[in-house]
Amino acid sequence: MGIKLVAIDIDDTLLNPEGQLAGETINAIKKTIQKGVKVVLCTGRPLAGVTTFLNQLGISGDDQYVITYNGAIIETVSGHRLAQHTLDFEDYLAADKLSYELNVHYNILDDESRIYTSNRDVGRITVIQAAENDEGLFVRNPEEMPQDLTVSKIMFVDEPEVLDAQIHKIKETFDDRYYVVRSLPEFLEVLNKKANKGNALTDLLSELGLKKEEVMAMGDQHNDLTMFAVAGTTVAMGNAIPELKDVATYVTESNANHGVAVALERYVI
């Protein structure tokens, strides 16, 4: 049974260390698509933070899909939503309160990809995140926010050593109510319990009528583990965390050495 869908993480997997798509990766993905295989980008980013890469890869239309916000939203690349698992105003208030208690920067993304924080001293990582997502950064106090707010995800974003020092307390506070996952050394994400890459990929496979054996997943971080659990072939990047390499079918080259292209050549092209 051949591979009919490839699910690929973006940061530190699809993109090289400079945050760009290498020519080798673009060529391999275009060859994969030409063989009739769907390429689904699975990311913590919103659609706005993915569009540039979709355009470079030639992925478009209502019959191509992306999994965004770490699985909170499944949508076509043209923005038609198939499913979403989001948070609300009370969840936002809980994160805002904890941010100040622990002295960790935070932000939220609404369902239109806008980033909000009440941290007047906006963190360096939040500024970089906003620049990548291209939908704006808004500094607002809770009383300035609408109570019918739809929150795609909450993010504690800070220097790795800051998160390292507080991750236990954040998980202790939120683990029973939310899905909490470290997506990058600088990002600790808090999502709806049903929102993860694995659940989203399972829903998409059901929509498309595909079996686990027809799916390959590629990634590098903790938030890719759930995706690996529902794919028949799993590829960890050479720069991936040890936990992902331990459960992978294959460990490819790093993202600096075109690991995505190497894996696609091996298993699909």
Side-chain angles (χ1 to χ4, degrees), residues 35-101:
K35 290 179 69 69
V37 177
K38 289 192 181 297
V39 174
V40 178
L41 303 189
C42 301
T43 177
R45 296 176 182 234
L47 182 58
V50 179
T51 302
T52 296
F53 308 123
L54 292 169
N55 291 339
Q56 287 180 266
L57 297 170
I59 301 174
S60 62
D62 250 357
D63 61 344
Q64 301 294 337
Y65 306 89
V66 289
I67 291 172
T68 54
Y69 299 103
N70 260 326
I73 294 176
I74 311 167
E75 55 195 319
T76 67
V77 300
S78 55
H80 173 69
R81 293 186 180 178
L82 279 68
Q84 67 180 48
H85 301 291
T86 53
L87 303 171
D88 60 23
F89 185 73
E90 294 303 317
D91 302 315
Y92 154 67
L93 290 179
D96 182 84
K97 180 174 181 288
L98 190 61
S99 167
Y100 289 99
E101 288 177 357

Side-chain angles (χ1 to χ4, degrees), residues 17 52 72 110 113 137 146 153 199 207 238 262:
T52 296
D110 70 5
S113 305
L137 170 61
K153 65 176 178 177
N199 285 343
E207 175 78 17
V262 170

Side-chain angles (χ1 to χ4, degrees), residues 94-95 98 156 170-178 180 190:
L98 190 61
F156 290 94
I170 296 172
K171 286 193 168 187
E172 189 177 63
T173 304
F174 285 152
D175 253 351
D176 61 330
R177 289 181 285 164
Y178 308 104
V180 182
V190 179

Side-chain angles (χ1 to χ4, degrees), residues 34-217:
Q34 286 168 5
K35 290 179 69 69
V37 177
K38 289 192 181 297
V39 174
V40 178
L41 303 189
C42 301
T43 177
R45 296 176 182 234
L47 182 58
V50 179
T51 302
T52 296
F53 308 123
L54 292 169
N55 291 339
Q56 287 180 266
L57 297 170
I59 301 174
S60 62
D62 250 357
D63 61 344
Q64 301 294 337
Y65 306 89
V66 289
I67 291 172
T68 54
Y69 299 103
N70 260 326
I73 294 176
I74 311 167
E75 55 195 319
T76 67
V77 300
S78 55
H80 173 69
R81 293 186 180 178
L82 279 68
Q84 67 180 48
H85 301 291
T86 53
L87 303 171
D88 60 23
F89 185 73
E90 294 303 317
D91 302 315
Y92 154 67
L93 290 179
D96 182 84
K97 180 174 181 288
L98 190 61
S99 167
Y100 289 99
E101 288 177 357
L102 301 182
N103 195 29
V104 178
H105 289 100
Y106 90 104
N107 63 64
I108 63 164
L109 284 83
D110 70 5
D111 59 343
E112 297 297 330
S113 305
R114 293 175 293 240
I115 298 175
Y116 292 90
T117 183
S118 67
N119 299 150
R120 297 287 167 176
D121 179 16
V122 179
R124 180 182 72 88
I125 308 300
T126 295
V127 173
I128 295 171
Q129 176 193 356
E132 290 176 344
N133 289 345
D134 199 31
E135 285 295 331
L137 170 61
F138 302 87
V139 180
R140 299 286 188 273
N141 289 326
E143 57 268 24
E144 299 175 287
M145 300 291 284
Q147 294 199 12
D148 60 352
L149 178 69
T150 298
V151 179
S152 294
K153 65 176 178 177
I154 296 163
M155 300 186 66
F156 290 94
V157 291
D158 223 312
E159 305 301 333
E161 59 272 18
V162 175
L163 287 184
D164 289 344
Q166 301 294 359
I167 189 169
H168 176 72
K169 291 181 181 178
I170 296 172
K171 286 193 168 187
E172 189 177 63
T173 304
F174 285 152
D175 253 351
D176 61 330
R177 289 181 285 164
Y178 308 104
Y179 170 54
V180 182
V181 64
R182 190 90 172 255
S183 57
L184 285 172
E186 302 87 356
F187 290 167
L188 183 68
E189 307 197 14
V190 179
L191 301 107
N192 184 299
K193 271 285 191 185
K194 295 181 180 179
N196 64 58
K197 290 185 180 183
N199 285 343
L201 185 56
T202 298
D203 290 344
L204 181 57
L205 297 184
S206 178
E207 175 78 17
L208 299 176
L210 296 179
K211 299 177 181 178
K212 176 177 180 176
E213 294 76 19
E214 297 173 305
V215 179
M216 182 167 81

